Amino acid sequence: MIKKSFYLLVFTLSSAVYGQFGFERTMEIDAFKDGDIQTYAWAGGMDYCQFSNIDLNFDGVQDLFVFDRTCNKVLTFLQMGGVGEINFVYAPEYESDFPEDLHDWALLVDYNCDGKQDIFTYALGGARVFLNTGSAGTGNEFTLVNPLLRTTIYGSLTYMYLSSPDIPAIVDLDGDGDLDVLGFGVLGTAVEYHKNLSVETYGTCDSLVFETKNICWGRFREDAASNDVTLWDTLVYPCRDIDLGDEMPTHPIDHDDRHAGSSVLALDLDDSGVLDLVLGDISYNNLTMLLNSGTEVNSNSGMYLQDNAFPSESLPVDLPIFPAAYHLDINNDGIRDLIVAPNSKVGSENRLGVWLYLNEGTETLPHFIFQQKDFLQGEMIENGTSSLPVFFDHNGDGLLDLLVSSQGHYDALSGNQLCKIAYYENIGTATVPVYEFVTDDYQDLSTKGIGESLVFYPAFGDLDGDGDEDMILGEYEGYCYYLENTGGAGNPAIFNTFTTLLNSEGGLIFEGTYAYPNLVDLDRDGDQDLVIGRRTGKLQYFENTGVGTYNFEFVTSNLGNINVADPGTSQGHAVTQFIDLDGEYQLLVGCKRGFVYYFDDIEANMDGTFHLVDSIVDDILIGTYAAPAVANLNGDNRLELVLGNRRGGVALYESAPTSSIGLPSLNLTDQFSVYPNPAQNLVAVDLGTIAGSELATCSIVLYNVRGQLIKTIKPTTNLTEISLENWDKGTYIVQVISGENTFYQKLVIQ
């Protein structure tokens, strides 16, 4: 018998679903832009974010919680700077501490006065609250304590209305120690004041007992069709003096002229002791400041002064569309600063969209001074909305460069989305990759008039036999385009012209909008075949039957019977990566829901069904519209995965050693067999005619392919049955140890 050795690397991961690849997140590859290192290069991007402070690691320092409503994603950053310093470190290990189902908006404030930030987040037509029950010993924990806030109005208890596009103010408005709520009402033109009666009722601030005291708080009205504000609006129902008493609600109102959306920030801007407002509007690019005329809280005072160019003492906000302001400490000096970001999920700035103003004044007499338009964003690989990474050796130096396309990024001149492909050159070595930003418009593709210049997705391969790699470019309209590389082998690529890609019969290659092409020698005949991921979640397959040039012959619109579409929307946006390991193809497919699927059993199975190994590889979910790009960047026998998502950035992962991926069945001896294989509920390990003396020294050990020990058995007979109930589907390694000999076979559980 032949002795075999096999290297298994054990990873400590929290994933409950054991994907065969064993990817884990890493930040170890450097990326530079304009000579500066991009500190958060692989954080995954930011589009339409909300910001709050929280002490994530219980060290007494206020860290940073970011909620990106683009795909309801939490981002967490640790503050490592001293007093007056900004030094955040991206810390994704805290992101899973927060509830998975946060959506639309999430603001962290301490409502029970225990010094820990709780979560107020949108619920259907209102808000729900999670109590921070974490500690230094247990870490961050949040418990749902109020599934839908209620308030008493006109003597009746009802649900507090807060809308999904709006951002409310959750703040101690009356200075009594508990948190009140300000938000635009159903009518959408006036602010409602929901007073918390916790202190009045219980003498403490730890409850959420609200009464709607005023539905025209501040005595102003925002126009239903614009962001114009009318001050002292006391002549028109429902904001007349006759309808308003001191902290008294008005009569019921109808729901006509609903205003589309507004953001509300309440803070003291003039050291008056009463709170002023900063408002954003869904259709406008500015913030409006309203100063409160009151001299004491609870006086039903009106706003007497407005500034439509806030903050006018610095650079006024100009951030299309729907800016929202957040009041939090950024530089660790105990005085809150200002961040402004777009609050609309469409049609707004998605690369220069986080404006930072540092407070050079005091907490109650702030002086906000503009710092930058891309706080955190500027230090990320960030290319707008829905990033699509691809590896390609552009300059022919043997190192894989990184291209990051997108659905589109905001174009300030036109106000539209425009797709450009960012190019990061690999300036490192074969063992130490380093990426440096070169241009945000690779080969000037956005100016060539290709389709609608949206959702470019390139694939590369030598299609004309001249030794350099040509480009197939998919686009939003659903067609593909051929761009010949005229640079020559070993030289930088040149793509000057394009033609619409046709099939072998001269027809257009089209099957609805969106095309995500992939060039791969799927039939192992020496040329590049074409696989196109589609919006439907399925894969088109065209066999290349050309000689010396491409000739794409249509085979199927349902390759491998793969469908990664969301059952609720029938949209999948399948982005494929075929990986050749030990002569066998493996397939990763990203999808709209943000998960990565893993398939095998591809070889010589073009007419069959590919085997689904895992539908959520390693529980990776950094945002919707997952787009994987896979390569071995440093020659270490481990694959790197760069994953795009809806937020426009990319995340970096490293796999287990590739020797444990796609391990073929090892028929090491006819005395050792595993059956049935694939198995479902039960599997038998047959040691054949092994002698009794040898059986006494024998062990059966089962691992997942990440090297994690699953089970050890001391067999008492030559046939051992193992129950597979509650085992995850996927591939496992069965190890038989007999004396000094060790043998392996692959086990697939379906």
Side-chain angles (χ1 to χ4, degrees):
M1 295 189 294
I2 302 173
K3 183 177 179 179
K4 297 284 185 177
S5 62
F6 184 76
Y7 176 67
L8 292 168
L9 181 64
V10 177
F11 285 93
T12 303
L13 297 178
S14 59
S15 173
V17 179
Y18 295 133
Q20 193 172 356
F21 280 91
F23 285 111
E24 65 174 356
R25 199 158 189 177
T26 179
M27 308 289 169
E28 293 304 312
I29 297 178
D30 289 337
F32 291 83
K33 185 175 183 179
D34 300 328
D36 296 324
I37 192 167
Q38 294 189 279
T39 307
Y40 317 116
W42 312 105
M46 294 168 58
D47 276 354
Y48 312 119
C49 296
Q50 300 144 25
F51 299 82
S52 300
N53 280 135
I54 183 175
D55 184 0
L56 290 166
N57 56 354
F58 299 92
D59 65 351
V61 176
Q62 290 299 302
D63 305 307
L64 186 60
F65 168 91
V66 181
F67 182 72
D68 194 332
R69 73 186 309 165
T70 309
C71 47
N72 300 317
K73 180 69 175 71
V74 170
L75 299 170
T76 49
F77 297 82
L78 291 177
Q79 172 65 278
M80 306 301 289
V83 175
E85 295 180 349
I86 302 175
N87 184 15
F88 287 106
V89 174
Y90 180 50
E93 63 268 24
Y94 294 98
E95 293 171 359
S96 61
D97 294 345
F98 292 84
E100 294 181 352
D101 57 346
L102 302 179
H103 58 92
D104 293 286
W105 53 262
L107 302 172
L108 305 190
V109 283
D110 176 15
Y111 85 82
N112 64 340
C113 305
D114 64 354
K116 298 182 297 187
Q117 306 300 93
D118 309 301
I119 304 174
F120 285 69
T121 185
Y122 180 71
L124 185 61
R128 57 195 172 128
V129 180
F130 292 84
L131 178 66
N132 187 339
T133 55
S135 68
T138 62
N140 296 296
E141 296 179 348
F142 298 93
T143 303
L144 181 64
V145 294
N146 196 313
L148 196 57
L149 289 179
R150 297 191 179 201
T151 183
T152 299
I153 184 169
Y154 314 121
S156 299
L157 185 64
T158 187
Y159 294 112
M160 181 189 300
Y161 175 78
L162 295 169
S163 78
S164 58
D166 288 0
I167 299 293
I170 304 169
V171 63
D172 183 5
L173 186 67
D174 55 10
D176 66 353
D178 53 25
L179 288 180
D180 311 299
V181 178
L182 290 177
F184 276 85
V186 176
L187 196 65
T189 58
V191 169
E192 295 184 346
Y193 165 35
H194 308 287
K195 175 178 171 58
N196 192 347
L197 301 178
S198 178
V199 169
E200 289 82 354
T201 304
Y202 304 111
T204 65
C205 60
D206 61 358
S207 297
L208 299 167
V209 183
F210 292 97
E211 182 177 357
T212 304
K213 289 292 186 179
N214 198 323
I215 63 170
C216 292
W217 187 83
R219 290 175 167 245
F220 70 92
R221 177 192 293 270
E222 190 175 49
D223 189 82
S226 72
N227 68 338
D228 294 338
V229 173
T230 303
L231 303 178
W232 296 106
D233 189 14
T234 58
L235 301 178
V236 180
Y237 176 82
C239 293
R240 298 174 299 181
D241 281 333
I242 189 174
D243 300 307
L244 286 169
D246 212 25
E247 286 198 46
M248 291 300 294
T250 64
H251 304 292
I253 25 180
D254 57 33
H255 298 170
D256 294 338
D257 300 323
R258 170 75 180 108
H259 190 70
S262 296
S263 61
V264 181
L265 175 66
L267 71 169
D268 189 355
L269 290 167
D270 56 1
D271 203 21
S272 65
V274 295
L275 297 189
D276 312 296
L277 292 182
V278 176
L279 304 179
D281 187 272
I282 198 168
S283 300
Y284 296 86
N285 62 342
N286 65 304
L287 289 177
T288 298
M289 178 198 73
L290 302 178
L291 286 185
N292 197 327
S293 66
T295 57
E296 60 182 23
V297 297
N298 296 334
S299 61
N300 194 31
S301 53
M303 301 297 169
Y304 76 98
L305 179 67
Q306 64 176 302
D307 180 359
N308 295 321
F310 179 82
S312 56
E313 73 270 22
S314 184
L315 181 67
V317 170
D318 182 6
L319 191 58
I321 56 177
F322 200 3
Y326 304 91
H327 196 204
L328 66 162
D329 185 7
I330 293 298
N331 61 353
N332 198 26
D333 63 357
I335 301 173
R336 286 182 288 179
D337 308 293
L338 189 74
I339 287 182
V340 183
N343 194 45
S344 171
K345 292 194 288 187
V346 294
S348 190
E349 177 61 65
N350 52 20
R351 293 185 307 138
L352 300 171
V354 183
W355 289 32
L356 172 63
Y357 296 80
L358 290 182
N359 185 356
E360 295 187 0
T362 66
E363 183 71 14
T364 57
L365 190 61
H367 186 47
F368 296 122
I369 301 301
F370 172 78
Q371 304 295 313
Q372 64 184 107
K373 294 183 178 181
D374 58 354
F375 176 60
L376 301 179
Q377 273 181 321
E379 296 187 64
M380 297 180 184
I381 296 176
E382 161 67 81
N383 200 30
T385 295
S386 289
S387 50
L388 299 160
V390 175
F391 289 113
F392 170 57
D393 182 7
H394 161 77
N395 54 8
D397 64 355
L399 303 177
L400 288 175
D401 306 305
L402 177 63
L403 301 180
V404 183
S405 184
S406 68
Q407 177 172 307
H409 64 234
Y410 181 78
D411 178 54
L413 293 177
S414 66
N416 297 322
Q417 299 290 321
L418 182 66
C419 183
K420 296 181 181 181
I421 299 179
Y423 166 41
Y424 280 79
E425 180 185 354
N426 188 344
I427 61 172
T429 67
T431 57
V432 183
V434 177
Y435 286 98
E436 183 174 52
F437 174 80
V438 177
T439 177
D440 70 351
D441 195 4
Y442 179 68
Q443 300 282 305
D444 296 322
L445 289 174
S446 72
T447 67
K448 295 185 184 298
I450 301 175
E452 293 192 13
S453 292
L454 288 172
V455 202
F456 287 156
Y457 187 75
F460 299 94
D462 185 2
L463 296 175
D464 55 8
D466 63 356
D468 57 22
E469 291 195 310
D470 309 298
M471 182 194 302
I472 299 295
L473 188 67
E475 201 260 352
Y476 164 77
E477 289 181 319
Y479 302 100
C480 289
Y481 301 87
Y482 171 65
L483 291 85
E484 181 185 357
N485 183 355
T486 59
N491 298 316
I494 299 174
F495 301 106
N496 283 327
T497 60
F498 70 92
T499 58
T500 304
L501 188 68
L502 303 178
N503 62 27
S504 59
E505 298 180 351
L508 291 170
I509 294 178
F510 178 77
E511 196 170 272
T513 55
Y514 297 89
Y516 306 102
N518 194 334
L519 290 170
V520 56
D521 184 8
L522 204 55
D523 56 6
R524 304 283 190 181
D525 66 351
D527 55 27
Q528 299 291 300
D529 306 305
L530 177 64
V531 176
I532 304 176
R534 287 296 182 179
R535 183 180 188 178
T536 60
K538 298 182 179 182
L539 308 183
Q540 277 186 300
Y541 171 44
F542 295 82
E543 181 184 354
N544 188 350
T545 59
V547 178
T549 186
Y550 69 87
N551 185 52
F552 291 126
E553 182 177 322
F554 174 75
V555 178
T556 179
S557 288
N558 194 21
L559 178 65
N561 289 312
I562 289 173
N563 187 348
V564 297
D566 181 351
T569 65
S570 297
Q571 293 187 25
H573 291 268
V575 179
T576 62
Q577 280 287 282
F578 287 90
I579 305 159
D580 189 345
L581 296 171
D582 298 327
E584 291 190 7
Y585 281 123
Q586 320 285 311
L587 172 61
L588 297 181
V589 184
C591 70
K592 178 183 177 181
R593 288 180 296 156
F595 302 120
V596 177
Y597 287 69
Y598 170 35
F599 298 88
D600 63 9
D601 193 20
I602 296 166
E603 296 294 324
N605 192 23
M606 298 303 101
D607 297 327
T609 298
F610 297 167
H611 170 237
L612 175 61
V613 178
D614 198 341
S615 61
I616 315 175
V617 170
D618 281 308
D619 284 342
I620 294 173
L621 181 61
I622 61 166
T624 52
Y625 293 85
V630 179
N632 185 358
L633 299 177
N634 52 16
D636 64 349
N637 194 37
R638 300 176 72 174
L639 296 172
E640 280 70 44
L641 163 69
V642 172
L643 187 64
N645 74 100
R646 187 68 167 184
R647 294 180 286 126
V650 291
L652 177 65
Y653 297 82
E654 189 174 46
S655 81
T658 56
S659 59
S660 67
I661 302 172
L663 183 72
S665 297
L666 303 176
N667 296 316
L668 302 176
T669 171
D670 57 4
Q671 292 182 326
F672 168 33
S673 58
V674 177
Y675 60 86
N677 196 1
Q680 292 182 340
N681 299 317
L682 190 70
V683 69
V685 177
D686 189 348
L687 301 179
T689 59
I690 188 172
S693 58
E694 192 175 355
L695 184 64
T697 65
C698 190
S699 295
I700 300 172
V701 186
L702 290 95
Y703 296 93
N704 62 36
V705 292
R706 287 189 307 190
Q708 293 170 316
L709 177 64
I710 304 300
K711 193 178 185 67
T712 299
I713 300 171
K714 294 293 293 182
T716 57
T717 64
N718 287 33
L719 181 64
T720 301
E721 292 186 339
I722 304 171
S723 173
L724 302 179
E725 291 186 12
N726 301 319
W727 285 46
D728 295 311
K729 295 179 180 179
T731 303
Y732 295 79
I733 305 301
V734 181
Q735 178 188 58
V736 173
I737 303 172
S738 178
E740 296 182 355
N741 294 319
T742 304
F743 309 98
Y744 300 91
Q745 289 210 31
K746 180 175 72 173
L747 167 65
V748 177
I749 300 178
Q750 295 181 336

